Amino acid sequence: MSTITTSDGAQIYFKDWGTGQPVVFSHGWPLSADAFEDQMFFLASQGYRCIAHDRRGHGRSSQPWDGNDLDTYADDLAALVKALNLRNAVHIGHSTGGGEVARYIGRHGTERVAKAVLIGAIPPLMLKTEANPGGTPIEAFDQLRAAVLADRSQFWKELSLPFYGYNRPGAKISEGVRDSFWLQGMMAGFPASYFCIKAFSETDLTEDLGRFDVPTLILHGDDDQIVPIGASAMLSFKLIKGATLKVYKGAPHGMCTTLKDQVNAELLAFLK
């Protein structure tokens, strides 16, 4: 297996396909690098080097108790970029991975970054606060924590429905996609499954977005039931200088899977 070891001893698994300009993928919670395989295979076939890692605590990476926070996730990403000596890289982040990309740029700058893409991403802040009245109330995240503690296997099965918009009338449900979501979720360790909820909901990434100085594409579905568009993409678009926003009508959170052909074409056009 391809892994790097971080400064605190965590082993981070990654897959590295193709040759050419590097495209680095950061996945969402509770998934793994496998969530981006449709994009990786397509872009690697188009002459790009596609790299995706399993975030610490997720997938095939170590399951440490500590470090399930966006600062550490961003530093792990920086360690991977440095270990592989990636330059002129395009960073693509989905959901929590979009927060990872934002914090990576906020903490490590854009010296090695050519472009950025945020898909269904959590920035600037998911949690409802006085300063962020459009956010999601803390009670919703407490419910996620309770569900993880109670029976996370069943919870992943149930979460796959709104994640892919399969709970909408007339939705064409793929039980295979649901099984893959469940499998990836069960590969995430219990600490990451639980602690990452605080990381993705309570981390304010407003200042990080202000440090973006590379071409940035924001993709978001207007029927995203996991990361509502109003408190995320619509605000990030205003905070990132010169960003391009594409709103996918009726698209769910898991649009990289349900609308993979459209997303793949969008990404290729942006890379070119």
Side-chain angles (χ1 to χ4, degrees):
M1 290 210 328
S2 303
T3 61
I4 63 155
T5 304
T6 65
S7 57
D8 69 347
Q11 297 262 315
I12 305 295
Y13 166 86
F14 67 94
K15 51 183 83 177
D16 188 347
W17 298 349
T19 55
Q21 183 181 10
V23 184
V24 185
F25 295 87
S26 293
H27 65 78
W29 169 92
L31 303 176
S32 71
D34 296 357
F36 271 121
E37 284 199 333
D38 289 322
Q39 285 67 48
M40 292 181 68
F41 190 85
F42 173 77
L43 291 174
S45 302
Q46 297 287 330
Y48 292 90
R49 178 184 177 188
C50 293
I51 297 147
H53 63 293
D54 291 353
R55 186 171 299 117
R56 71 166 55 211
H58 299 67
R60 290 137 293 205
S61 292
S62 298
Q63 298 186 2
W65 182 260
D66 296 317
N68 290 290
D69 58 80
L70 277 168
D71 284 357
T72 309
Y73 295 159
D75 292 350
D76 289 349
L77 176 57
L80 177 70
V81 166
K82 190 174 179 184
L84 299 180
N85 194 27
L86 304 180
R87 298 188 179 277
N88 195 37
V90 180
H91 281 268
I92 299 176
H94 173 250
S95 197
T96 300
E100 179 178 285
V101 169
R103 184 50 53 95
Y104 166 72
I105 288 175
R107 280 171 79 83
H108 300 277
T110 55
E111 185 188 347
R112 292 173 177 264
V113 181
K115 296 179 179 179
V117 184
L118 304 179
I119 307 175
I122 61 170
L125 174 62
M126 281 197 75
L127 184 67
K128 180 178 182 177
T129 63
E130 281 187 25
N132 188 43
T136 302
I138 189 73
E139 290 78 15
F141 301 113
D142 289 340
Q143 287 170 6
L144 293 184
R145 279 183 275 266
V148 166
L149 289 175
D151 182 349
R152 77 184 197 278
S153 179
Q154 183 61 31
F155 176 55
W156 300 144
K157 285 191 170 186
E158 293 169 2
L159 183 62
S160 66
L161 289 169
F163 195 97
Y164 296 107
Y166 290 160
N167 59 344
R168 295 306 197 209
K172 188 183 175 191
I173 298 171
S174 165
E175 291 300 332
V177 166
R178 294 190 66 199
D179 288 347
S180 176
F181 182 94
W182 174 84
L183 179 62
Q184 290 178 63
M186 289 310 295
M187 287 174 71
F190 209 145
S193 299
Y194 186 86
F195 294 132
C196 186
I197 296 169
K198 182 180 178 69
F200 71 65
S201 63
E202 298 182 37
T203 307
D204 191 338
L205 297 153
T206 304
E207 289 187 13
D208 304 271
L209 297 179
R211 297 194 176 103
F212 278 54
D213 58 1
V214 294
T216 303
L217 175 64
I218 301 170
L219 305 179
H220 216 106
D222 68 1
D223 192 33
D224 191 322
Q225 301 170 67
I226 310 297
V227 181
I229 189 171
S232 54
M234 306 310 286
L235 299 180
S236 294
F237 173 58
K238 295 174 183 172
L239 291 165
I240 299 173
K241 295 184 211 76
T244 300
L245 172 64
K246 299 279 182 79
V247 177
Y248 282 42
K249 189 162 179 56
H253 191 56
M255 58 195 267
C256 290
T257 300
T258 62
L259 297 171
K260 62 184 180 183
D261 293 341
Q262 204 176 335
V263 171
N264 289 350
E266 196 92 67
L267 293 176
L268 183 61
F270 182 66
L271 294 185
K272 285 184 170 177

